[in-house]
Structure formats: structure tokens, C-alpha cells
Amino acid sequence: MSDNQLRPRTPVAPAPAPAPRRSAPGPRAVAAFRAAAPALAVYAAVRALGLLTLWAAAEVVGKDPWARLTGRWDSVWYQRIAENGYGYTTTLPDGSLHSDLAFFPLLPALERGILEVTPLTLGGAGLLVAWTSGLLAAWGVFAVGTQLRGRRTGVVLAALWGVYPTAFVQSMAYTETLFTALAAWALYAVLRGRWIVAGALCVLAGLTRPSAAALVAALAITAAVTLVRDHRAGGGLRTVLRRRARMLTGVALAPLGWLAYVVFVALREGSPFAYFDVQAQWGNNIDGGRALASFIAGLPWPAALGLCGALGLLGWLVVLCVRQRQPLPLLVYTIAIVVISLIGAGYFGSRPRLMMPAFPLLLPPAAALARLRTTGRHPAAARAVPAVVLTVLACASAGYGAWTLLGAGPP
């Protein structure tokens, strides 16, 4: 008998099963982009129409359209912060003080970063941020609409957001597109159960605009309702908290950006309420709607009646959102944005702009227009209706935007 036959044999371990193949992030991102491409194309088209209309109108009246987009109103304050940091204060003829501490830091930080690595001016950097954020916002709006009502509704929703009456601000070096992009993707993350991603996006939104408080409230209230529901379903408190650890982490993250800036202003000015004092100096304090009521009362009756009609339409859209049972985070966010925009004492003309990030308000009309494509006794005519409506709205929005930007008052 040979040595090999006498030597004990070592059992051979079975080969490990191959790990399941996961789709790479790259292909998923490409597929998501392809799905959103129609929405992005329509959004880009309506915003391009707005810019072309502005350029043509500015040529007629002999004004510089570039300066209207980058060199007036809030954009100047952001560029000054990007160039010199915080510390600028101006005194108005009535003696009130306007401090640049009223403006949150994310946009000027991005403008400064782009200035350092590109040949763009600060104005060009602001437009790059705004226009890129506009596309990301349209993508996020499309994603939310698609998640809730299907791809057609998502496309129409993104288009309607692009033809909002004050959508011309989306082409300016302002924070509206940046904030809406962060808010839309944060809400989408909540709808998909990705709470930590949502919380991180809320942090950035809180460094962009004070209205991030509405987004924080959306996450917090949704989480509270979820915890109560789980507990009533029979889960023990510790079990529920352990199961919802990621949700609680996202909620804990959400207010940190907003709080960080409020604390920064407090430390800089030596007062715990310094940020709110700065906003009050700008006339942005909360007065419960008295300024709005006084403004309406001071208008000629036809204008007052028209404004009341617009507010009625706004209220009707909110009611539709509730009746159509939009998910709780969207409802809380939308209602909070609307309320914040209406109960402040600030300049009335800015209120439609402040409500622009409340894109879920447009979901009921977007769903109605999308349904027209497949219903009705005349399908071909029904399919043409959304395109006709969006074209008319895009032209009206472009004309109104050019008229406003070439005027004297701020948006």
C-alpha cells in the first residue's frame, strides 16, 4: 500500500457561492436620468423661452439683461458675502438697518468656490449654481410626481413648476432653485424611506433659506406619526425606537444646518436672538398676517378683489392636496411654506416667490393634465391639451418675467 493511501485525506471545503450581483450605481443613475430626460427637456425649454424673451425685451428698451439676472436685489448681497464674507450693513433713509446676516451662507459659499476654480465672475458663478440647481430641482419634482402619480404626471409637474408665475426667479442668481432642489430630493428620500439622506439634505437646505424650517417640520411630524402608529400596532417603545433608528437619526440631523447658522449669528452679534433681530430689521418678522391684510385693504377694489381671488385659488389648491391625500411629509411641507409666506410682514411682492418651492401645490393640476392624455372621447385632441396649456403658460410666464425683471421693483 502506498504512502498516499495510508495518509488521511483532508476534506475539501466546498467553493463559496458567488455573491449576488448588484447593479452598479452608474447604470442606475443613467437609467434614472433617461427616465427624467423628458421632464428636464421640457423644463429647460420653458426656462430658455423665458431667457430669450427677456433678452429680446431688454434689447428693445436698451437695458442689460445680464445685470437684471446677476446684479440686482438679493443677488448683490450674496455676491458681496461671497467676496468679502459677512459684516456689511447699510442704513436706509428711515434709519432702519439692513445686515447681510439675513442671508444664509450656502449660495455664497458655492459662488466663492466656483470663483476660485473657474474663470467665471461671481455673477456667472451665481447663475451656474441657479441654473444647475434648477435642473436638479426639476428632476426632484419629477421624481416626487412619478413616485406618487406616474411618469406622465411627473413630467407635467416639472413643467408646471417651470412656468410658475414668478419662475423667472429660477433664472436669477437667487436661492430658490437651490432650496427647491434640496427640498424635493429630501421629500423624495422620505417617500422612499431613506431618512438619513433626507436629514442630510435638510442640513444643506437649512444653510440655504430660513424656510427650511418647513422641511424640518415635515420630517419631524411624519416621524412622530410613524412612531405613534407603530406603537399602537402593538410594538413596545424600545422595539419601535430600535426599528426606527435610521428615521430618528435623519430627524435629528434635519435641523442642524438651520440651527448652526442661527447660533453663528448669535455668537457673532452677542445675543441669542440676534438672527431674529436681523430679520425684523429687514421687516421679515412674523405678524400673523396683519401686513397682508393691510396691503389688501389699501388696494383699489378691483386689485383687492383680484388678489383675494388669487388667495382663494391658493386655498383651493391646498384643500385639493389634502383631499387627494398627498403623503403627510408633502402636506406638512407645503402648508408650512404657504403659511410662512403669508404671515410674515415682509415686502408683499416677494410672497409668490417665497411660495415657489411649494411645488406639491401643483400636483393636482399636473395629475389632471396628465390624465387628459389618455381619457376622453377624442384621445388625439386630449393628448394635445397638455402641450397647448403648457405652451400658453410658458409664454405668459416668460412675458411676465421680462416685464418684472426690466421694471424697478424687486421680485
Side-chain angles (χ1 to χ4, degrees):
M1 184 176 293
S2 67
D3 292 342
N4 288 339
Q5 291 173 312
L6 293 173
R7 186 179 300 120
R9 296 183 179 182
T10 303
V12 179
R21 303 182 70 178
R22 296 181 180 179
S23 57
R28 287 202 304 269
V30 171
F33 176 78
R34 286 177 177 171
L40 298 180
V42 173
Y43 173 79
V46 298
R47 296 311 324 132
L49 175 63
L51 289 172
L52 290 173
T53 304
L54 171 64
W55 247 257
E59 192 71 24
V60 170
V61 299
K63 294 184 178 180
D64 181 6
W66 182 265
R68 300 284 154 162
L69 297 174
T70 64
R72 301 180 76 192
W73 306 307
D74 290 5
S75 59
V76 175
W77 288 87
Y78 286 118
Q79 290 171 34
R80 187 183 290 115
I81 295 168
E83 187 172 13
N84 303 314
Y86 286 100
Y88 179 81
T89 301
T90 184
T91 304
L92 300 187
D94 62 2
S96 61
L97 299 177
H98 281 189
S99 168
D100 59 6
L101 290 170
F103 297 90
F104 279 56
L106 185 56
L107 175 58
L110 292 173
E111 289 177 336
R112 181 69 186 186
I114 292 171
L115 181 70
E116 295 291 340
V117 298
T118 70
L120 293 174
T121 63
L122 277 174
L127 287 186
L128 178 61
V129 173
W131 294 358
T132 304
S133 298
L135 289 170
L136 292 174
W139 192 348
V141 169
F142 162 81
V144 171
T146 300
Q147 176 75 14
L148 298 180
R149 297 296 184 87
R151 187 163 176 261
R152 289 177 177 172
T153 298
V155 173
V156 177
L157 182 61
L160 285 179
W161 186 70
V163 299
Y164 183 85
T166 56
F168 61 88
V169 177
Q170 298 172 17
S171 299
M172 300 175 67
Y174 270 43
T175 58
E176 270 67 25
T177 54
L178 178 59
F179 177 76
T180 305
L182 294 168
W185 284 109
L187 292 170
Y188 179 73
V190 171
L191 294 177
R192 298 298 298 270
R194 298 171 181 171
W195 283 88
I196 294 179
V197 173
L201 291 170
C202 281
V203 172
L204 296 176
L207 295 171
T208 306
R209 292 189 62 83
S211 48
L215 197 56
V216 174
L219 267 67
I221 293 175
T222 302
V225 171
T226 302
L227 291 176
V228 171
R229 186 177 60 240
D230 287 356
H231 183 58
R232 287 180 175 176
L237 182 59
R238 290 185 178 179
T239 302
V240 170
L241 294 178
R242 185 163 52 250
R243 186 192 312 148
R244 297 293 184 176
R246 296 179 69 84
M247 180 181 74
L248 295 174
T249 302
V251 172
L253 283 173
L256 295 184
W258 187 87
L259 288 174
Y261 185 67
V262 171
V263 170
F264 164 76
V265 177
L267 294 175
R268 185 182 179 95
E269 298 298 294
S271 169
F273 304 106
Y275 169 75
F276 304 98
D277 295 336
V278 168
Q279 291 290 355
Q281 290 168 356
W282 276 83
N284 292 331
N285 54 301
I286 301 298
D287 70 352
R290 289 193 301 272
L292 175 60
S294 298
F295 179 82
I296 295 174
L299 292 174
W301 73 263
L305 190 61
L307 181 54
C308 289
L311 292 174
L313 174 61
L314 175 63
W316 181 60
L317 286 174
V318 172
V319 170
L320 281 180
C321 291
V322 175
R323 290 181 60 184
Q324 294 181 2
R325 297 186 177 184
Q326 287 187 12
L328 183 60
L330 268 66
L331 286 177
V332 174
Y333 168 76
T334 300
I335 294 172
I337 289 287
V338 170
V339 170
I340 290 170
S341 303
L342 294 180
I343 66 174
Y347 173 61
F348 176 81
S350 296
R351 295 175 196 243
R353 170 174 67 85
L354 299 178
M355 278 188 276
M356 187 165 56
F359 66 90
L361 284 172
L362 303 172
L363 189 54
L369 280 175
R371 284 197 302 269
L372 287 175
R373 299 186 60 178
T374 55
T375 61
R377 298 179 61 181
H378 304 285
R383 283 193 295 269
V385 170
V388 172
V389 170
L390 291 174
T391 300
V392 171
L393 291 176
C395 293
S397 177
Y400 177 71
W403 177 76
T404 303
L405 286 171
L406 296 174

